[in-house]
Amino acid sequence: MAYPQGIQIVPSRILDDLRQLRTFGSIGQGVNRRSLTETDLASRLWLCERMREAGLEASIDGAGSVVGKTPHSRRILIGSHTDTVPDGGWLDGALGVIYGLEIARSLMESPGSGDTGIEVMSFIDEEGRFTPLMGSRVFCGEIREDEFAELRSAEGVNFSDVLSQANLSDKPIQRLDPGIHIAYLEAHIEQGPVLDNKQIRIGVVTGIVGASQYRIGFHGQKNHAGTTPMSLRYDAAKAMFEFVGRFTKYFNDNARANTTWTCNEVRTEPKAGNVIPNFAEFSIQYRDLSSEILAILDQGVEDICKEVATGNGVAFDKEKTVELVPMAMDEQLINRIHSAAIERGVSSHKMPSGAGHDAMVIGRYIPAGMLFIPSISGLSHDTEEDSHEEDIRIGAEVFARAVSNHIDHLDCFSRA
Amino acid sequence: MAYPQGIQIVPSRILDDLRQLRTFGSIGQGVNRRSLTETDLASRLWLCERMREAGLEASIDGAGSVVGKTPHSRRILIGSHTDTVPDGGWLDGALGVIYGLEIARSLMESPGSGDTGIEVMSFIDEEGRFTPLMGSRVFCGEIREDEFAELRSAEGVNFSDVLSQANLSDKPIQRLDPGIHIAYLEAHIEQGPVLDNKQIRIGVVTGIVGASQYRIGFHGQKNHAGTTPMSLRYDAAKAMFEFVGRFTKYFNDNARANTTWTCNEVRTEPKAGNVIPNFAEFSIQYRDLSSEILAILDQGVEDICKEVATGNGVAFDKEKTVELVPMAMDEQLINRIHSAAIERGVSSHKMPSGAGHDAMVIGRYIPAGMLFIPSISGLSHDTEEDSHEEDIRIGAEVFARAVSNHIDHLDCFSRA
C-alpha cells in the first residue's frame, strides 16, 4: 500500500487556510468574491502561492482556473471553486479546494511509493458571473478559447477584457486528459438541510440531479368580477390554480421520494381584486436523478396544460427555461466515500445533490465522486451560511481517507 | 288612472341626448368624465339646461349632484350618475339619467291628473374619484357637509376646493325625504354578459350583491429549490395553492348558482424559479345577495387559512379589504319592472346586480328597483362599452311603463 496509514492530513491547517481565504471579499460572516474581480484575482494569487509552499507545481491557467500538481504521472483530480455568488457563504466551493490543497500538501510531506498523485483545481466562475460551471467546462473542452470573446457578465463586462487586464490571455489552458486524470473527487457543503436535520456527518453523493423548468402563461379574458357569472368566465388565474392542483396529484403519482418540485414567479394581471385576471404566469421546476422521471413529469406538464386550457376556455404558452441532464456519480467512488466514513466511524447518508457542481461536468468524461458535509440549517448562497468546525474536520478526514484508499487501489491495480 | 296610455316617451330624444352628453369628454368610442373635472361640470350645466327646457325645476346642489323636479308634492326618484371612470363607457350611468329626463319631459308634455311626479337626479361621483357612491350617500345623509373637507382624490385634489371653484359651496344640499320621495328607480347597462349571452332584452334586478374581499399572505421560508427535500419545506406558494384548491371545494359545497368568486393580485417572492418562495399573496373576493352565504364563505376563508398554514408549517395574515352588505330590491318594484316587460312583449330575466349602484344606498331608506339593458359582450368600464340602439329604446319603453304603472298604483292607492 502506498499510504498504509492513509494520507495524514492536519485539519487545523484547513481551518487556517479557509479563514485566510475568507478575508478576500469578506462581508459580514460571508464573502463577496465574484469570479475575476480584483478580489477574486488576489485570492487566486494567494492560492497559487499556498500551493507552491506545499511543493506543488502551481499556476493560473488561461481561463483563470488555479491548478496545483504533485509530480506524479497520473493524478486524482480534486477540485471545486473559490468564486462566490454576490454576498455568498465562506465555505461554498472554498471547502473543496482547500481540502484538495491539504491532501496534496500532506502527500508531498510524506510521499508514498506509488505512481498516483494529486492535482488540485479551483475552477473559474462556477457561480456563473459569465457562464455557470465555466472552469470545468473549459477544462473539459466544452467551451473553446475562441468562444471566450462572446462571454459577457450581466453588468456588461467582457470575459476576454478582464482576462487580458489580469495578464492571463496568453497563459495555456489546462485540459482534462483521461490518461493522466483518472478520477475526480469534490467535497462541498450540502447547501441543503438533510444532513443537519438528520444529524449525519457525511453525505455520500449518488449523483447530481437533472432539472426541468418551464415558464407557463395562461391567457384568458379580463372581466368584471361582480357581474360575470362563473359559467361565462375565461379566468387565467383559475386555470393556473387548476393546473397546480392537478399537477400536484400527477407528481405524487409519478415522482419518487427524492424528487423535488417548486412553483414560483407567480403573477396575475391586471392587478385589481375586482377584475377577473386575463393573464396568469408562473414557473415550475422539478429535479430528479432519473431522466425517465423528468421525461414523465415533462409529459404531465404538457398534458395538464392542454386539459386545463381546454376546460377553462383559455390559451396557454410554455417555454422550457432550464434543462439539465442528471449525472450519476461513479459507483466505485460512491463506495469509496461510504467506506471511508465507516472506517472513520462516523454516520453517512447516500443522497442526490440537488444543486449543480463542477462534478456534473467532469463526470461526463472520467469517474467522479462527491462528498457533502452538513450546512447549518441548510443555509446557502447567503452570508450566514456556515458549517460546524467539527464537521469541517471530520469531512476532511473522511475525504482524505477516501482519496488515499482510492490511490492505494489504483496503485495496486496498476501493479497487478 | 293618471296615465291611461302610460307615459308616452319619445325614444329618439333619448338617443339624441345620450349622443350630446357623449361629446363631453369623448375619447375613442367612450368617455373620460371624472366627477367635478371641467368636462364634468360643463356636462352638468348642459344637463341642468336640458331639464329646464323640459319644464323641470332644475339645479346643481351643494355637492355637485344635478336635480330636476316636476311640480308634484310627491315624486318618484329616477337617478343614476353622469360621471365616468377614467376612459369609461358612454352609457354607464348616463343611460339611467337620460331615461329619467325623458320620462319627466314626457310627463310635463302630457301632465296627468295625479299627485305623483318625477324627480330626476345625476348623483355626483358614483365612480369614486373622491369616494364611491358619493352623491347618493350625501343625498341620504350618510356623508355630512362637514365631512366634505376630508375628501381628496388620488391625485391630491380636495373636494371642497373644486366645489368652491365651481361656485357650488354655498348651494343647498338636496336631501332624501321619504315623505316626498316615495320610491327610487334606476336603469343601467348590465356591465356583464348575462343578458347579451342569453339574448334577453331586460334584466329585472332582484338585488345588489354584497361582497367580501380579503388580502391573504402566507409566510414561509426561502430555500434552495434543488437541495431542500419536499418534507423539509415551508413553501408559501404551496400553502397558497392548497388554500385555493380547498376553497374551491368549499365554495362549490356552500355557494349558490349566482355566487361569484375571484382570486387575483397573486404574487410570490423571491422572484426566482430555483428558490422556494417564502411569501405568497393574493386577493380573494366573493359576492352574493345573501349575507348568510357571505358569512359562511368568510368562515371558510378563516378555517382553511388556519388548516393550510398548520399543514405547511407556515404563517398567514389576512385583512378584509372590502365588505359590502347585500341590498335586496323592493318586491313590488321588482314585479313592476317584470310586468312592464311582459306588457311590452319582450323577454326579461330576474338577476342580481354584481356591481354596485346608487340604488344600493337609496334602497336602505326607500323602496328601490333597478332595470338592466344588455351590454354588448358584457364590456364595461372600457371605452368600447356599448349597447344596441334597439335595446336602449326597448329598455326606455319598459322603464317608462314601469314608472307610469307605479305612479298609477300610488295615485289610486292615495285616493283609496
Side-chain angles (χ1 to χ4, degrees):
Chain A
M1 307 251 288
Y3 306 99
Q5 268 75 50
I7 299 172
Q8 294 301 313
I9 62 163
V10 184
S12 63
R13 295 196 301 211
I14 291 173
L15 287 161
D16 289 345
D17 283 340
L18 282 169
R19 287 182 190 126
Q20 278 196 53
L21 182 49
R22 187 184 203 167
T23 62
F24 295 89
S26 160
I27 176 168
Q29 287 195 63
V31 173
N32 195 340
R33 199 166 57 225
R34 304 234 67 194
S35 69
L36 290 180
T37 53
E38 270 183 46
T39 309
D40 177 60
L41 282 164
S43 76
R44 289 176 190 278
L45 291 171
W46 170 86
L47 179 61
C48 238
E49 194 47 41
R50 273 272 155 299
M51 287 173 167
R52 286 185 190 126
E53 284 170 19
L56 308 184
E57 183 203 325
S59 60
I60 305 180
D61 86 345
S65 293
V66 183
V67 61
K69 307 167 188 180
T70 62
H72 296 78
S73 56
R74 60 181 193 180
R75 299 182 289 273
I76 289 182
L77 196 61
I78 302 178
S80 195
H81 60 98
T82 47
D83 67 310
T84 75
V85 296
D87 299 351
W90 72 296
L91 296 171
D92 187 340
L95 183 93
V97 174
I98 300 301
Y99 274 13
L101 169 62
E102 175 58 20
I103 291 169
R105 178 160 49 202
S106 304
L107 187 150
M108 291 301 288
E109 286 166 352
S110 310
S113 56
D115 306 326
T116 309
I118 302 287
E119 182 166 330
V120 187
M121 282 195 77
S122 167
F123 294 108
I124 195 74
D125 205 26
E126 195 267 353
E127 299 290 10
R129 181 184 176 205
F130 298 95
T131 184
L133 303 166
M134 178 175 170
S136 45
R137 286 158 69 203
V138 169
F139 182 67
C140 295
E142 295 186 2
I143 300 176
R144 296 186 317 271
E145 284 175 77
D146 60 356
E147 291 169 311
F148 287 0
E150 317 259 320
L151 295 171
R152 209 180 159 81
S153 75
E155 328 92 280
V157 174
N158 289 317
F159 181 69
S160 47
D161 290 348
V162 282
L163 261 195
S164 63
Q165 279 154 28
N167 293 318
L168 294 172
S169 304
D170 298 330
K171 305 269 178 173
I173 301 278
Q174 292 293 321
R175 294 285 184 205
L176 176 73
D177 180 344
I180 296 170
H181 304 109
I182 46 183
Y184 177 74
L185 281 163
E186 181 169 358
H188 206 280
I189 56 163
E190 183 199 334
Q191 299 184 269
V194 174
L195 298 175
D196 191 46
N197 196 265
K198 294 181 191 276
Q199 297 276 296
I200 286 173
R201 298 284 189 184
I202 300 292
V204 182
V205 178
T206 52
I208 296 166
V209 299
S212 283
Q213 186 172 317
Y214 293 91
R215 187 202 58 72
I216 299 174
F218 287 105
H219 305 263
Q221 195 175 295
K222 193 174 79 170
N223 256 316
H224 191 295
T227 61
T228 313
M230 300 309 285
S231 61
L232 296 177
R233 294 177 175 217
Y234 307 96
D235 184 334
K238 179 164 169 281
M240 172 179 72
F241 286 121
E242 258 184 54
F243 173 91
V244 175
R246 295 176 72 159
F247 190 82
T248 303
K249 181 171 175 355
Y250 184 88
F251 180 90
N252 293 339
D253 291 346
N254 290 284
R256 305 186 297 186
N258 282 326
T259 323
T260 57
W261 76 292
T262 309
C263 281
N264 200 345
E265 302 176 286
V266 187
R267 68 187 186 96
T268 56
E269 294 286 343
K271 295 189 191 356
N274 62 346
V275 179
I276 299 163
N278 64 338
F279 183 59
E281 188 180 54
F282 62 105
S283 66
I284 181 169
Q285 182 199 85
Y286 30 84
R287 306 196 188 207
D288 197 273
L289 271 184
S290 150
S291 296
E292 288 71 38
I293 296 279
L294 295 178
I296 288 168
L297 296 176
D298 284 353
Q299 189 60 50
V301 166
E302 176 71 18
D303 293 347
I304 297 169
C305 272
K306 279 183 187 158
E307 289 163 23
V308 162
T310 305
N312 285 278
V314 302
F316 76 95
D317 69 299
K318 74 179 171 56
E319 178 191 358
K320 199 166 204 173
T321 50
V322 174
E323 177 151 31
L324 290 176
V325 176
M327 179 71 232
M329 294 293 97
D330 177 71
E331 276 301 324
Q332 197 178 34
L333 293 174
I334 291 171
N335 293 333
R336 198 71 74 206
I337 295 166
H338 186 206
S339 304
I342 292 168
E343 288 172 30
R344 175 63 181 76
V346 295
S347 54
S348 68
H349 177 62
K350 287 192 182 177
M351 62 187 295
S353 168
H357 294 288
D358 291 305
M360 74 193 287
V361 177
I362 299 171
R364 293 171 197 149
Y365 307 96
I366 59 172
M370 278 196 85
L371 172 149
F372 280 164
I373 70 163
S375 297
I376 296 172
S377 303
L379 265 184
S380 168
H381 286 189
D382 190 301
T383 56
E384 304 278 307
E385 169 238 284
D386 206 0
S387 296
H388 296 295
E389 268 189 32
E390 199 179 356
D391 286 328
I392 296 175
R393 274 196 293 267
I394 290 173
E397 287 163 7
V398 172
F399 194 60
R401 192 177 289 257
V403 171
S404 69
N405 285 353
H406 199 57
I407 289 178
D408 284 349
H409 165 83
L410 294 167
D411 285 345
C412 288
F413 183 78
S414 68
R415 279 196 295 273
Chain B
M1 307 249 289
Y3 304 100
Q5 267 74 52
I7 298 172
Q8 294 301 312
I9 61 164
V10 184
S12 64
R13 296 196 299 210
I14 291 174
L15 287 161
D16 290 345
D17 284 339
L18 283 171
R19 287 181 190 125
Q20 278 195 55
L21 182 49
R22 186 184 204 166
T23 62
F24 294 90
S26 160
I27 175 168
Q29 287 194 64
V31 173
N32 194 341
R33 199 165 56 225
R34 304 235 67 194
S35 68
L36 290 181
T37 53
E38 270 183 48
T39 310
D40 177 60
L41 282 163
S43 77
R44 289 176 191 277
L45 291 171
W46 170 86
L47 179 61
C48 238
E49 195 45 43
R50 272 274 157 295
M51 286 174 166
R52 285 183 191 128
E53 284 171 19
L56 307 184
E57 183 202 326
S59 60
I60 305 181
D61 87 345
S65 292
V66 183
V67 61
K69 309 168 186 181
T70 63
H72 295 77
S73 57
R74 60 181 193 180
R75 300 182 289 273
I76 290 183
L77 196 59
I78 301 179
S80 197
H81 61 98
T82 47
D83 67 311
T84 74
V85 296
D87 299 351
W90 73 296
L91 296 171
D92 186 340
L95 183 93
V97 174
I98 299 301
Y99 274 15
L101 169 62
E102 175 57 21
I103 291 170
R105 178 162 50 203
S106 303
L107 187 150
M108 291 301 287
E109 286 167 354
S110 309
S113 56
D115 306 326
T116 308
I118 303 286
E119 182 165 332
V120 187
M121 282 195 78
S122 168
F123 294 107
I124 195 72
D125 204 25
E126 195 265 355
E127 299 289 11
R129 181 184 176 206
F130 298 96
T131 184
L133 303 164
M134 178 173 170
S136 45
R137 285 158 69 205
V138 170
F139 182 67
C140 294
E142 295 186 3
I143 300 176
R144 298 187 315 272
E145 284 175 79
D146 61 356
E147 292 169 310
F148 286 0
E150 318 258 320
L151 295 172
R152 207 179 161 83
S153 75
E155 328 92 279
V157 173
N158 289 317
F159 181 69
S160 46
D161 290 349
V162 282
L163 261 195
S164 63
Q165 280 155 27
N167 294 319
L168 294 172
S169 304
D170 298 330
K171 304 271 176 169
I173 301 278
Q174 293 292 322
R175 294 284 183 204
L176 176 72
D177 180 344
I180 297 171
H181 304 110
I182 46 184
Y184 177 73
L185 281 163
E186 181 169 359
H188 205 280
I189 56 164
E190 182 199 334
Q191 299 185 267
V194 175
L195 298 175
D196 191 46
N197 197 265
K198 294 181 190 275
Q199 298 276 297
I200 285 173
R201 297 285 189 184
I202 300 292
V204 182
V205 178
T206 53
I208 296 167
V209 299
S212 284
Q213 185 172 317
Y214 292 91
R215 186 202 57 74
I216 299 175
F218 286 106
H219 305 263
Q221 195 175 294
K222 194 174 78 170
N223 256 315
H224 191 296
T227 60
T228 313
M230 299 310 285
S231 61
L232 296 177
R233 295 178 175 216
Y234 306 97
D235 184 336
K238 180 165 168 280
M240 171 179 74
F241 286 121
E242 259 184 53
F243 173 91
V244 175
R246 295 175 71 159
F247 190 82
T248 302
K249 181 172 176 352
Y250 184 89
F251 180 90
N252 292 339
D253 290 347
N254 289 284
R256 304 187 297 187
N258 281 327
T259 323
T260 56
W261 77 292
T262 309
C263 282
N264 200 344
E265 302 176 286
V266 188
R267 69 186 185 96
T268 56
E269 294 286 343
K271 296 191 190 352
N274 61 346
V275 179
I276 299 163
N278 63 338
F279 183 60
E281 188 181 53
F282 61 105
S283 66
I284 181 168
Q285 182 198 84
Y286 31 84
R287 305 196 189 207
D288 197 89
L289 270 184
S290 151
S291 296
E292 288 71 37
I293 297 278
L294 295 178
I296 289 168
L297 296 176
D298 283 354
Q299 189 61 50
V301 166
E302 176 72 18
D303 293 347
I304 297 170
C305 273
K306 279 183 186 158
E307 289 162 23
V308 163
T310 304
N312 286 278
V314 302
F316 76 94
D317 69 298
K318 74 179 172 54
E319 177 191 359
K320 199 164 205 175
T321 50
V322 174
E323 176 149 31
L324 290 176
V325 176
M327 180 70 232
M329 295 292 97
D330 178 72
E331 277 300 324
Q332 196 177 36
L333 293 175
I334 291 171
N335 293 333
R336 198 70 75 205
I337 294 166
H338 186 205
S339 304
I342 293 168
E343 289 172 28
R344 175 62 181 76
V346 295
S347 53
S348 67
H349 176 62
K350 288 192 183 179
M351 61 188 294
S353 169
H357 293 289
D358 292 306
M360 74 193 288
V361 177
I362 299 171
R364 293 172 196 148
Y365 307 97
I366 60 172
M370 279 196 83
L371 171 149
F372 281 164
I373 70 162
S375 297
I376 295 171
S377 304
L379 264 185
S380 169
H381 286 187
D382 190 301
T383 55
E384 304 277 308
E385 168 240 282
D386 206 0
S387 296
H388 296 295
E389 268 190 31
E390 199 179 355
D391 285 328
I392 295 174
R393 274 196 293 266
I394 289 172
E397 287 164 7
V398 172
F399 193 59
R401 191 177 291 256
V403 171
S404 68
N405 285 354
H406 198 58
I407 289 177
D408 284 349
H409 165 82
L410 293 167
D411 285 347
C412 287
F413 182 78
S414 68
R415 279 196 295 273

